[in-house]
């Protein structure tokens, strides 16, 4: 199995786990209320970092999710890569995989409710995935430009040149 296939399966698995958790918590809310409250008290609510200037407080659960996401993505980017061109192609593939949940979660409030997350946490997750998509797309572009000489007349390179400023504008918003 390719690393990008494993990455896509893991992303889909996380989505399925969140949906199943939401369904189970809806069905058995009263029965497991003590276990849920212990989980909230010791994992979800305590903060690791307080509020900073540009981002809010980070709870233990958010830190765990962010660490697993960033390290898993980094691992999928470097495992069994033989050269810069292969790393660039894999980064491009993973960037497209990361782009899918961003495009599918169009009404953000609906997607947050469906997954059982607060809008603030969902926006933080959405922003993390967007940052990863942007960084992997930038690495993909850099690896392609290093490997191949740029030409405006090339029918593949010219649309890529047009997409990059659009990505920078969207990332700035």
């Amino acid at each position: 199995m390719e690393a990008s296939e494993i990455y896509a399966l893991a992303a889909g698995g996380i989505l399925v786990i969140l949906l199943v958790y939401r369904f189970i918590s809806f069905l058995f809310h009263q029965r497991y209320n003590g276990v849920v409250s212990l989980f909230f008290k010791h994992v979800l609510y305590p903060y690791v970092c307080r509020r900073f200037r540009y981002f809010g407080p980070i709870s233990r659960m958010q830190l765990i999710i962010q660490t697993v996401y960033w390290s898993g993505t980094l691992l999928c980017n470097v495992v069994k890569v033989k050269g810069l061109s292969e790393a660039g192609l894999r980064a491009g593939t993973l960037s497209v995989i990361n782009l899918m949940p961003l495009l599918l979660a169009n009404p953000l409030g609906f997607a947050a409710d469906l997954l059982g997350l607060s809008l603030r946490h969902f926006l933080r997750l959405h922003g993390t995935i967007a940052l990863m998509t942007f960084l992997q797309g930038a690495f993909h572009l850099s690896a392609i430009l290093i490997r191949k000489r740029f030409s405006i007349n090339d029918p593949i390179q010219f649309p890529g040149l047009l997409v990059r400023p659009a990505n920078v504008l969207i990332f700035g918003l």
Side-chain angles (χ1 to χ4, degrees):
M1 246 188 181
E2 285 274 327
S4 57
E5 292 172 350
I6 294 171
Y7 189 81
L9 287 174
I14 290 170
L15 179 67
V16 168
I17 287 171
L18 285 172
L19 290 172
V20 167
Y21 172 74
R22 175 76 170 156
F23 181 70
I24 289 174
S25 67
F26 176 74
L27 289 179
F28 301 109
H29 181 67
Q30 295 298 325
R31 176 178 265 173
Y32 298 108
N33 200 12
V35 175
V36 170
S37 67
L38 282 175
F39 174 75
F40 284 173
K41 181 180 177 183
H42 294 290
V43 178
L44 195 61
Y45 290 149
Y47 293 122
V48 176
C49 298
R50 297 289 175 202
R51 180 173 298 280
F52 287 105
R53 183 174 182 160
Y54 296 111
F55 57 91
I58 299 173
S59 69
R60 289 180 188 168
M61 189 64 165
Q62 291 170 348
L63 183 67
I64 290 168
I65 289 170
Q66 294 281 337
T67 304
V68 168
Y69 177 71
W70 284 91
S71 60
T73 303
L74 179 67
L75 190 67
C76 283
N77 275 322
V78 298
V79 169
K80 293 184 180 178
V81 174
K82 295 177 178 66
L84 183 64
S85 62
E86 187 177 344
L89 291 174
R90 184 172 295 174
T93 304
L94 294 179
S95 176
V96 170
I97 292 170
N98 279 325
L99 188 62
M100 289 303 149
L102 297 176
L103 297 175
L104 293 176
N106 193 353
L108 295 176
F110 176 71
D113 286 341
L114 184 66
L115 296 175
L117 299 172
S118 69
L119 186 59
R120 188 183 88 200
H121 291 135
F122 185 78
L123 286 174
R124 184 174 285 170
L125 181 67
H126 190 80
T128 301
I129 295 172
L131 177 63
M132 182 61 72
T133 302
F134 178 78
L135 292 175
Q136 286 179 335
F139 179 74
H140 172 71
L141 177 68
S142 301
I144 295 298
L145 288 178
I146 288 171
R147 187 186 77 190
K148 203 177 198 183
R149 187 167 180 214
F150 180 73
S151 171
I152 291 182
N153 297 329
D154 189 357
I156 294 174
Q157 291 180 356
F158 185 67
L161 176 69
L162 296 177
V163 166
R164 250 9 248 172
N167 285 350
V168 169
L169 286 173
I170 290 171
F171 184 72
L173 295 176

